[in-house]
Amino acid sequence: MRAGSVGRRCAGAVCALALAVLTGCGHGPDAADAAPRPAPTTAGPSGRGAVFLAVGACGSAGTGRVAEVPCGGDRAAARVLARHDGREADGPLCPPATDFVLHIDAARAAADGRGPAPQGYACMRRLAPPHPGDPGGGGGPRTVVGDCVYRAGGGRVRETACDGRGAEPPEYVVAEAVTDRSACPPATALYVQLGGARPVGCARPR
């Protein structure tokens, strides 16, 4: 799950919610402002393109030796929404609908014999529910409007499912994304760092 620091509505408060990798941990909250940006890989056809797990391709289940497979096949588990070279910490954020991030340096094209792929990362969307990256889903690499969080101790928060099916009950919901904390509504109890063009999330009690 994603984790980060939180702040109450008071002077100098800082609220951060770190972005996740893979199953929900990792991406630095300031990654949206990192430079230089690595260029995305060229999109390829679904099934077995020239680039391993290019945009639109599908991968088999797992987070280690993942194979690129036809999207209509029985082995297909997730589709690539975006694909970037280099390290995730240095690159662009994944799309909001991303369910998990696959690190390509750890993935090998085991089924088609192409061997290790160049270092990069793929933003993956499951072909079937549940979708933890959806608003309120309780996971995914990004925090978006509609997501819920709870206090995890040590001045930090973690995301949890808004419907209460997670291990922890939701305490706050990100109601709005703005460019600056001063634009949050009066009911805001926490500021959550989201990244992107509107990096501040205004969270209110559930």
Side-chain angles (χ1 to χ4, degrees), residues 14-30:
V14 176
C15 184
L17 188 58
L19 302 174
V21 291
L22 219 47
T23 55
C25 312
H27 203 313
D30 59 349

Side-chain angles (χ1 to χ4, degrees), residues 93-169:
L93 294 174
C94 282
T98 302
D99 287 327
F100 65 94
V101 178
L102 180 67
H103 289 263
I104 303 301
D105 58 345
R108 296 172 182 268
D112 56 22
R114 282 181 290 183
Q119 184 182 33
Y121 59 101
C123 308
M124 309 294 292
R125 171 82 172 177
R126 292 177 178 175
L127 296 181
H131 293 290
D134 285 351
R142 293 192 59 178
T143 303
V144 298
V145 172
D147 279 339
C148 292
V149 297
Y150 68 94
R151 292 185 180 275
R156 300 176 70 82
V157 295
R158 292 184 183 273
E159 190 178 329
T160 189
C162 288
D163 63 6
R165 58 181 168 80
E168 298 290 339

Side-chain angles (χ1 to χ4, degrees), residues 56 62 94 140 150 164 170 173 184 198:
C94 282
Y150 68 94
V173 60
C184 284
R198 296 187 176 186

Side-chain angles (χ1 to χ4, degrees), residues 47-48 52 60 65-70 75 108-115:
R48 183 182 177 182
F52 178 56
S60 59
R65 295 181 63 85
V66 174
E68 185 176 321
V69 296
R75 298 180 61 202
R108 296 172 182 268
D112 56 22
R114 282 181 290 183

